[in-house]
Amino acid sequence: MLKHPLGLRAKSILALALACLMALVPAGIIGWHLLEGVRQYFGEAFAEHYTRLNREQILAPVSRDLALSTRLADSELSRRWLLDEDDGEKRAMFFLEAEGYRRDFRDSSYFLISALTGHYYFNSAGQPFSDQPRYTLDPDKPSDAWFFNTLEQAATYNINVNPDVALGTTRVWLNVLVTDGERRIGLAGTGLDLSGFLQDFIQTRPVGVTPMILDHGGAIQAHPDPTLISFASTTTHAVNGYTLAQRLPDALQRTQLAQAMKQARELTDTVPLLSLTLDGREQLLALAYLPELQWYVVTAVDLAAAGVIQENWLRVGLLMVVLLLLILLISFGLVVDRIVLRPLRELQQSATAMSQGRYDIQLPRPGKDELGDLSRAFGRMAEQVKTHTDELEGRVEERTAKLRQANQEMATAQRQIQASIDYASLIQRAILPDNRMADLLGLHHFVLWRPRDVVGGDFYLFHNDGERYLIGVVDCAGHGVPGALMTMLARAALDQAINTLGMASPAVVLRHADGIVREMLKDAETTQAIATHMDVGMVFVDRERGILRYAGARISLYHSDGHDVAAVKGGRRALGDRRVGQYEDTELRLDPTATYYLVTDGYLDQSGGDLGFGLGQSRFKALLMEHARRPMAEQAAALDQALDDYRGEHDQRDDVTVLAFRVDQP
């Protein structure tokens, strides 16, 4: 037998080819066509497998960052801060949470954009941290049009390649809508650095293979040649002119491409193949669709340049095919199946298993030919993909466990805080003088007390000396826990003033309580930044003398007999205001037919109606005129229902207190 460096298989083929030299020409033509078919089949399998692998490699990091971006956009902290961007506490809480997301994102960056102010916030590992806007988007600037177009799109997210001139970076941006109900209030997400993205998924490629990424409209999102990328194609109405269809020579091929894209989009598990003329050469195109990202992964293979099958191997194969065609067609079929088709099927099955997430595959035994090289390369690729997948799953599992623990800790803290607030509400209700008022006034009074939160900044007081009594309402700055704490200070100041000076002159009580409050807060460092004032309305009633004496600090006394409504205004400044207020007593004769009302601004300022305006004094006086002659319990129910009807779907803005009473002279 002839010795030849091609090996036993090649020498056998060569000997048989020489024996059939006379039939070489006609058999060679037939064999050449058959081998071209084999190369086409092998190239199609290579293009399909390469495309499937690229799809899986792209999907894992991008979909992970997209999932994290969606969680950041759905975060309650993101939503609350965008609705109240000037709130420092909400700002601090958001950036504390966002920095945790930044460490998890692939490129350690995140952004948040407010649709209400246009402020653009961005932080990355390569820049100093900032909780201030990097810049403000302008709807009149073409470079900012992508943001406003994104807010109008029906989809909840999009992915596009776009340069940010202000930040000096070009990235693959993952844009996710931040919503408040049906209202779109901003965008949140991250950006994958374009150079790293291309290095990972585009530049590492065999010779003659051109991988690409297209968006849902066919615009090029990633390409080995960066000048062909259509920036911001998914968020603007026009691209910079680079789609794959525009690079084809005629309408027929563009139609074939559109049909293949439709097939890939409708049957996401298939990889359509077609031959097109690209860059002046006939190339084999394979397409796979990623519905999660609305991208097409495209591989263009130049079979002549890619070296799928080496020319030396082709020559030997041609001689073998000629020999087998002339001697024994059946033997030819068996040899081709054993040498080419069977390993190719096994390689195809291995690629299919990998695309389904099974990496413990049994590859064909690698030989010394091209199939063996491809099998070894495929094995290394499978091992690398498996390693990366295991690492990613481990990191995701670790992060999930940490998030689960953090959620449990937050839930525990929330329960403890809620229990403390409920206990504070019990204490606050316990100090209200409901029992003493009921003992003296009976059915001749009612109180509507509706804190905006569990606890509030409104309260009412009552002191009596026989048939004489002092009754009033107090509205402290703030609501919730801060307002409730202010009520303790206000209650202490007013009680001390009443115990020291008596209750016959409400104005004297207010002036003395104002001094006490200022004395308490004079050394506090936060009084310039935190509101500490309080509105007060106080009425002294002397039934024996038949008089009523009123003084107020930004609260008026209303009284109505059902035919008319009048109001006695209080002083213009609240207790603890920056300027000292002037408080004077106003004395009235008691009217047994009238009902007297003290009301905090939470009732008067409640927004509602068709336009969302405050209820106001005019509507309130109309309510008093309508209900003043009814029994007190019915008045209370009517005023309570009127407030709910006017408020409608609007939230309660402030604490609400209405105190009403009648006086029967002895």
Side-chain angles (χ1 to χ4, degrees):
M1 184 176 291
L2 294 175
K3 296 183 178 179
H4 197 278
L6 294 177
L8 294 177
R9 183 187 303 171
K11 287 186 285 185
S12 299
I13 295 174
L14 182 59
L16 291 173
L18 291 175
C20 300
L21 184 60
M22 296 300 295
L24 181 61
V25 175
I29 296 174
I30 298 174
W32 179 260
H33 284 291
L34 290 174
L35 282 178
E36 280 297 311
V38 171
R39 182 168 68 172
Q40 180 72 19
Y41 178 85
F42 193 80
E44 290 177 355
F46 172 82
E48 179 181 353
H49 301 157
Y50 190 85
T51 303
R52 289 184 183 275
L53 287 174
N54 265 357
R55 177 174 66 179
E56 297 303 318
Q57 288 179 318
I58 292 171
L59 179 61
V62 177
S63 61
R64 176 182 178 273
D65 274 15
L66 179 60
L68 287 173
S69 298
T70 302
R71 289 174 55 191
L72 177 61
D74 289 341
S75 171
E76 187 65 22
L77 294 179
S78 302
R79 185 178 299 107
R80 288 185 179 180
W81 180 50
L82 285 180
L83 293 174
D84 191 6
E85 200 171 340
D86 293 331
D87 189 304
E89 183 179 355
K90 294 178 181 177
R91 176 189 298 268
M93 292 298 294
F94 165 76
F95 280 105
L96 180 63
E97 181 183 60
E99 282 299 294
Y101 280 91
R102 182 182 65 77
R103 291 188 291 271
D104 292 339
F105 280 126
R106 176 187 176 91
D107 280 354
S108 300
S109 68
Y110 66 89
F111 69 86
L112 182 73
I113 314 174
S114 172
L116 307 179
T117 63
H119 290 164
Y120 187 104
Y121 299 87
F122 177 85
N123 280 301
S124 67
Q127 295 180 340
F129 170 80
S130 174
D131 62 352
Q132 299 300 317
R134 300 289 183 175
Y135 58 90
T136 301
L137 296 169
D138 185 355
D140 296 328
K141 291 176 63 177
S143 60
D144 295 340
W146 67 270
F147 170 68
F148 301 96
N149 291 334
T150 300
L151 293 177
E152 297 174 359
Q153 292 179 357
T156 59
Y157 72 89
N158 65 47
I159 303 172
N160 73 301
V161 180
N162 191 38
D164 192 315
V165 178
L167 297 178
T169 182
T170 299
R171 295 172 179 260
V172 179
W173 297 101
L174 311 180
N175 307 311
V176 184
L177 283 171
V178 183
T179 60
D180 180 29
E182 299 295 327
R183 182 184 179 192
R184 300 185 174 193
I185 60 176
L187 290 182
T190 186
L192 300 174
D193 181 69
L194 184 59
S195 59
F197 186 85
L198 293 177
Q199 183 64 33
D200 288 345
F201 305 120
I202 299 299
Q203 298 299 345
T204 306
R205 58 191 176 95
V207 177
V209 177
T210 304
M212 292 172 275
I213 296 176
L214 312 180
D215 69 5
H216 63 278
I220 299 175
Q221 297 293 290
H223 193 279
D225 183 0
T227 62
L228 298 179
I229 296 175
S230 297
F231 294 113
S233 63
T234 63
T235 56
T236 58
H237 299 297
V239 300
N240 58 5
Y242 294 112
T243 65
L244 181 58
Q246 291 172 335
R247 302 185 63 216
L248 299 179
D250 54 54
L252 176 60
Q253 293 194 13
R254 287 192 286 271
T255 300
Q256 293 174 345
L257 175 62
Q259 292 173 348
M261 292 173 67
K262 179 180 179 182
Q263 179 183 354
R265 187 171 61 253
E266 293 176 350
L267 303 173
T268 56
D269 193 48
T270 63
V271 179
L273 301 169
L274 68 161
S275 295
L276 299 174
T277 302
L278 191 62
D279 297 331
R281 302 186 303 275
E282 183 177 357
Q283 301 194 42
L284 177 65
L285 260 68
L287 297 89
Y289 185 63
L290 296 173
E292 300 87 348
L293 310 180
Q294 300 182 7
W295 277 358
Y296 295 92
V297 178
V298 181
T299 304
V301 180
D302 186 345
L303 295 179
V308 177
I309 304 179
Q310 296 181 359
E311 293 297 325
N312 291 335
W313 194 91
L314 282 175
R315 295 190 189 98
V316 175
L318 177 60
L319 294 175
M320 183 183 67
V321 170
V322 171
L323 177 62
L324 294 176
L325 284 173
L326 295 174
I327 298 177
L328 192 57
L329 293 177
I330 298 177
S331 298
F332 170 76
L334 294 175
V335 170
V336 170
D337 181 74
R338 181 173 179 271
I339 295 176
V340 180
L341 299 182
R342 186 186 303 169
L344 189 59
R345 284 195 299 269
E346 293 175 353
L347 194 61
Q348 181 181 16
Q349 293 170 357
S350 301
T352 302
M354 284 187 61
S355 68
Q356 297 173 352
R358 304 196 309 271
Y359 303 107
D360 52 344
I361 54 178
Q362 184 67 35
L363 294 174
R365 177 178 297 177
K368 296 181 180 181
D369 54 10
E370 291 79 5
L371 280 175
D373 294 340
L374 182 60
S375 180
R376 283 187 289 271
F378 196 90
R380 290 192 296 269
M381 189 185 313
E383 183 63 28
Q384 186 176 10
V385 171
K386 182 179 184 300
T387 300
H388 290 338
T389 302
D390 292 342
E391 291 178 357
L392 180 61
E393 291 177 351
R395 291 178 182 177
V396 170
E397 184 177 354
E398 180 182 356
R399 297 296 183 189
T400 301
K402 291 181 178 179
L403 289 174
R404 187 180 300 111
Q405 181 180 358
N407 289 335
Q408 292 174 352
E409 293 174 354
M410 290 176 61
T412 301
Q414 184 178 8
R415 288 194 297 270
Q416 293 174 347
I417 292 172
Q418 187 61 45
S420 298
I421 293 175
D422 291 341
Y423 187 61
S425 174
L426 179 64
I427 295 174
Q428 188 175 48
R429 291 179 180 275
I431 67 173
L432 295 176
D434 292 326
N435 293 334
R436 284 178 290 155
M437 292 174 63
D439 291 341
L440 188 62
L441 302 181
L443 299 178
H444 297 295
H445 84 288
F446 72 81
V447 179
L448 294 181
W449 187 66
R450 292 171 53 172
R452 195 196 76 167
D453 304 309
V454 180
V455 292
D458 284 9
F459 72 98
Y460 47 95
L461 53 84
F462 182 80
H463 290 264
N464 71 294
D465 180 11
E467 294 297 318
R468 302 190 312 162
Y469 55 88
L470 181 69
I471 190 170
V473 296
V474 183
D475 180 3
C476 297
H479 36 71
V481 174
L485 293 176
M486 283 298 300
T487 63
M488 301 296 101
L489 186 149
R491 176 65 181 269
L494 290 170
D495 284 350
Q496 183 178 345
I498 294 170
N499 293 334
T500 302
L501 302 174
M503 59 185 180
S505 175
V508 171
V509 172
L510 292 179
R511 288 194 290 271
H512 191 69
D514 184 46
I516 295 173
V517 170
R518 295 178 185 278
E519 182 67 22
M520 290 179 177
L521 298 175
K522 69 177 182 178
D523 295 328
E525 297 179 357
T526 59
T527 54
Q528 298 298 322
I530 300 176
T532 57
H533 61 271
M534 54 197 72
D535 302 341
V536 185
M538 302 182 69
V539 181
F540 171 71
V541 177
D542 190 335
R543 295 179 60 195
E544 294 180 355
R545 296 175 57 194
I547 63 169
L548 175 151
R549 193 172 294 127
Y550 176 74
R554 295 182 59 183
I555 289 182
S556 300
L557 172 67
Y558 297 88
H559 56 93
S560 174
D561 59 0
H563 301 291
D564 191 16
V565 177
V568 181
K569 293 186 177 180
R572 296 175 57 187
R573 297 195 178 277
L575 301 190
D577 203 346
R578 286 181 295 178
R579 296 183 181 180
V580 178
Q582 300 295 324
Y583 311 113
E584 302 294 337
D585 288 329
T586 300
E587 189 169 300
L588 303 175
R589 296 300 303 174
L590 287 174
D591 183 358
T593 66
T595 304
Y596 298 89
Y597 305 87
L598 292 171
V599 57
T600 61
D601 59 5
Y603 195 102
L604 302 176
D605 294 343
Q606 174 60 50
S607 58
D610 296 334
L611 301 178
F613 294 153
L615 186 140
Q617 291 192 27
S618 298
R619 291 188 181 89
F620 182 67
K621 288 181 178 180
L623 289 172
L624 299 186
M625 181 79 74
E626 180 181 357
H627 302 294
R629 299 180 63 86
R630 299 174 65 180
M632 300 300 280
E634 295 182 11
Q635 283 196 57
L639 292 180
D640 195 28
Q641 185 62 46
L643 181 63
D644 286 339
D645 293 342
Y646 183 76
R647 180 167 64 89
E649 298 298 326
H650 294 267
D651 294 331
Q652 183 175 329
R653 296 180 53 182
D654 199 358
D655 303 321
V656 173
T657 302
V658 179
L659 190 154
F661 63 92
R662 290 174 180 164
V663 181
D664 289 337
Q665 292 182 264

